[in-house]
Amino acid sequence: MTDDSALSTIAADRILAVVRAPRVPDPAELCAALGSGGIRAVEFTYTTPGLPEVLAAAAAGRKPGQHIGAGTVVTAEQAHAAIDAGAEFLVTPAVLPEVATVAARHAIPVFLGALTPTEVLRAMDLGAAAVKIFPASALGPRYLKDLRGPFPDARLVPSGGVSSANARDFLGQGAFAVCCGTEVVPPAAVADGGHDEIARLAERFVTAALG
């Protein structure tokens, strides 16, 4: 992958930041902070009130090479609203055909959430650009290796409980990328505009995961 798409950036960086916070006062600056720490793809989730407005602000202020996505997308209506606001990729917590259909219609990547082999296969059949393995911490890095046995070409992205202590192990077992959450983007720091702290946390996570 050599283009500047969201999927290519995630493939290159191998890390995706997931923002779960009750308030995101400056989405563009948050993305800039994460980018300065080496994480250029950011997923804002529907657990944040007013997510389309957050996405629009992030998209309006993003710098070249940065990519904005919407997470915890569970309906077609949410998918449409996120794309209209500027989301370049969608992430779901489960296998949701209606969300996959919207993503395909708009030609943007969707990461469908799965855990079992049956769910992984279903997500791939629905055209998922990657499959989010959630909750990854429940079964650990070895489970990812086991999944890649029958699905060697699957792009698996562990999420939930991925930390600086285990991210390298997940990548070593064949993860396409890993998701980092509150360890890098603590909700309090997001709400308080602690972007310098977030940049440091992002850099620390990248170093731990990639060396």
Side-chain angles (χ1 to χ4, degrees):
M1 295 180 187
T2 57
D3 61 273
D4 191 37
S5 68
L7 189 62
S8 295
T9 294
I10 294 169
D13 292 355
R14 305 194 73 192
I15 298 171
L16 166 66
V18 181
V19 180
R20 291 191 183 278
R23 191 168 67 90
V24 186
D26 197 335
E29 282 302 311
L30 174 58
C31 291
L34 288 165
S36 71
I39 302 174
R40 296 180 293 166
V42 183
E43 172 193 336
F44 292 95
T45 71
Y46 264 103
T47 56
T48 297
L51 182 69
E53 290 77 13
V54 172
L55 290 169
R62 67 179 159 219
K63 294 178 171 53
Q66 293 181 338
H67 297 280
I68 310 302
T72 321
V73 182
V74 297
T75 68
E77 290 76 16
Q78 287 180 334
H80 282 297
I83 294 168
D84 289 345
E88 298 171 90
F89 60 95
L90 304 177
V91 185
T92 73
V95 180
L96 299 169
E98 61 271 31
V99 177
T101 297
V102 174
R105 187 176 302 142
H106 290 270
I108 70 168
V110 60
F111 294 10
L112 295 176
L115 184 62
T116 69
T118 298
E119 291 169 346
V120 171
L121 181 59
R122 177 66 172 146
M124 294 171 65
D125 286 344
L126 287 169
V131 183
K132 183 179 81 169
I133 303 301
F134 176 83
S137 61
L139 296 171
R142 179 56 189 267
Y143 180 66
L144 202 78
K145 180 181 179 181
D146 291 341
L147 281 177
R148 285 183 55 79
F151 307 119
D153 298 325
R155 295 168 176 158
L156 304 179
V157 181
S159 180
V162 178
S163 69
S164 56
N166 61 23
R168 186 187 292 264
D169 292 335
F170 277 110
L171 292 170
Q173 297 293 1
F176 176 69
V178 295
C179 294
C180 63
T182 55
E183 179 183 344
V184 173
V185 278
V190 173
D192 294 341
H195 298 131
D196 289 342
E197 176 190 358
I198 289 169
R200 288 193 297 270
L201 292 172
E203 184 175 11
R204 186 176 70 180
F205 188 94
V206 169
T207 300
L210 304 179

